[in-house]
């Protein structure tokens, strides 16, 4: 096991009506809030109204930045920074899924920088300070509610890039599973795949001696498989939503990557695809993941894939390679059970752009730790996924 430093910064307030305690949480840090949210779901399902009443009752003043798009854009970040500066806001409250939370994080550090916020993403500027952030999560998927990552898209350059820093970890996150009842079936499926992919990305790493981390990841994978399809048929089932919500946070809050690296190739590749085609992150992952697996299994010894097959899908047999191949088929079947497509061409991607996306995915050099991939490798994976 590798050495590590770990601090779970975010206070998690999990359960129904936990929003009632939000004023006390915010007041620990501020009295002037930038409220960030998406294109309207929180108004339709009543969360906005409930929150605004609480803020007003507690004399917490706020300005709003709404309309944050899925795959949030750097232009929204710039808007948020300007609002914070003009109104001297000192706290950011993100109400939504990963896109809203990621936008809030980029605003939080952008406020303190004289440079354009995109410079953080192209490694021309360093994060040194950030406003505190709070979250009300409305969609289980990214884990952004309990980590320090932010992924932002730039329409001008057709890039989607990430930053990460401990000071971007939310101070608190309200996780009320009932807030996710209104998430559509498709979006719920994308969320399940994103959680699952985060587990795979950390599971497949080159280090030995990660028994504990791997067993933790496997139990979270089983949770996704157990509840993934169920939640599509019973979207208002509190227990199903609760299991997935907690899985979302546990899967990418840093715990599982303690003592090991992670691979993250599939994420780099997917970000390149959604940077150009603006498809949902989980949808891109559902398509690319099995083809990444097939490409990598061919090049590696199959022990880890066999562990995956035996421990997650209860596959039996002596032949590791056969178990590994079967595990990939089981993964495909799981994504199919969520109603997701399996080809890039089915989601509007054009064959002629695969080379461009392979270059974008490897903009900063080779990707992956379990299996290092260069631009040609990524192109081959995209070609088979097409
Ligand atoms: O905009 P509104 O109207 O709110 O609708 C959203 C949006 O259309 C809707 N939604 C959210 N909560 C809802 C709801 N609809 C009904 N009821 C609710 N309760 O869902 C749609 C998608 O929202 P989005 O925030 O884009 O989804 P997600 O949470 O999957 O976030 C995806 C973004 O996060 C990035 C992805 O790349 C993508 O940009 N990621 C962030 C990570 C991180 N910060 O750690 C890691 C991930 O790997 C990922 O890269
Ligand atoms: Zn992801």
């Amino acid at each position: 096991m590798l050495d590590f430093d770990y601090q779970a910064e975010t206070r998690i307030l999990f359960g129904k009506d936990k929003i009632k305690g939000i004023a006390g949480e915010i007041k620990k840090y501020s009295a002037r809030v930038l409220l960030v949210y998406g294109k309207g779901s929180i108004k339709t399902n009543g969360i906005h109204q409930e929150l605004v009443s609480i803020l007003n009752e507690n004399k917490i003043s706020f300005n709003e930045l709404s309309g944050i798009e899925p795959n949030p854009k750097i232009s929204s970040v710039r808007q948020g920074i300007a609002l914070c500066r003009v109104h001297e806001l000192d706290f950011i409250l993100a109400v939504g899924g990963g896109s809203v939370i990621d936008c809030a994080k980029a605003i939080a550090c952008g406020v303190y920088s004289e440079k354009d916020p995109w410079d953080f993403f192209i490694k021309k500027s360093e994060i040194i300070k950030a406003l505190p952030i709070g979250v009300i999560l409305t969609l289980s998927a990214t884990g952004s509610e309990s980590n320090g990552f932010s992924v932002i898209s730039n329409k001008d350059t057709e890039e989607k890039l990430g930053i990460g820093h401990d000071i971007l970890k939310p101070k608190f996150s309200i996780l009320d599973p009932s807030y996710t009842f209104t998430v559509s079936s498709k979006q719920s499926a994308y969320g399940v795949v994103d959680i699952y992919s985060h587990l795979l990305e950390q599971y497949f790493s080159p280090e030995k001696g990660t028994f504990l981390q791997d067993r933790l990841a496997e139990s979270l994978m089983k949770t996704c498989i157990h509840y993934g399809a169920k939640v599509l048929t019973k979207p208002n089932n509190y227990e199903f939503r609760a299991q997935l919500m907690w899985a979302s946070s546990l899967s990418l809050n840093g715990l599982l990557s303690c003592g090991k690296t992670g691979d993250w190739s599939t994420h780099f590749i997917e970000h390149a695809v959604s940077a150009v085609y603006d498809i949902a992150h989980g949808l891109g992952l559902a398509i690319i993941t099995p083809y990444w697996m097939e490409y990598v299994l061919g090049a590696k010894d199959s022990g880890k894939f066999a562990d995956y097959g035996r421990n997650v899908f209860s596959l039996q047999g002596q032949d590791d390679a056969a178990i590994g191949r079967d595990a990939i088929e089981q993964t495909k079947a799981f994504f199919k059970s969520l109603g997701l497509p399996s080809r890039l061409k089915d989601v509007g991607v054009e064959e002629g752009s695969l080379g461009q996306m392979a270059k974008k995915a490897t903009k900063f050099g080779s990707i992956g730790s379990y299996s290092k991939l260069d631009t040609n490798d990524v192109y081959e994976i995209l070609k088979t996924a097409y």
Side-chain angles (χ1 to χ4, degrees), residues 141-142 193-195 197-198 201 252 264 267 270-271 281-282 285:
T142 63
V193 173
D194 194 22
I195 301 169
S197 172
H198 297 157
E201 298 277 28
L252 199 53
W264 295 106
H267 267 67
E270 192 294 314
H271 286 168
H281 175 59
L285 293 172

Side-chain angles (χ1 to χ4, degrees), residues 38-41 45 68 70-72 97-100 102 105 138-139 141-142 144 147 149-151 160 179-180 182-183 187 194 198 252 267 271 281:
K39 293 176 81 83
S41 69
N45 59 22
I68 307 305
N71 299 323
S99 295
V100 169
D102 285 8
K105 290 174 181 171
T138 66
L139 197 172
T142 63
S144 187
N147 68 43
F149 303 121
S150 165
V151 184
K160 181 175 181 182
Y179 286 172
T180 63
T182 52
V183 178
Q187 201 64 52
D194 194 22
H198 297 157
L252 199 53
H267 267 67
H271 286 168
H281 175 59

Side-chain angles (χ1 to χ4, degrees), residues 13-26:
L13 298 134
F14 193 103
K16 183 131 182 53
D17 293 331
K18 283 287 179 174
I19 196 173
K20 294 193 191 315
I22 198 170
E25 295 299 324
I26 295 173

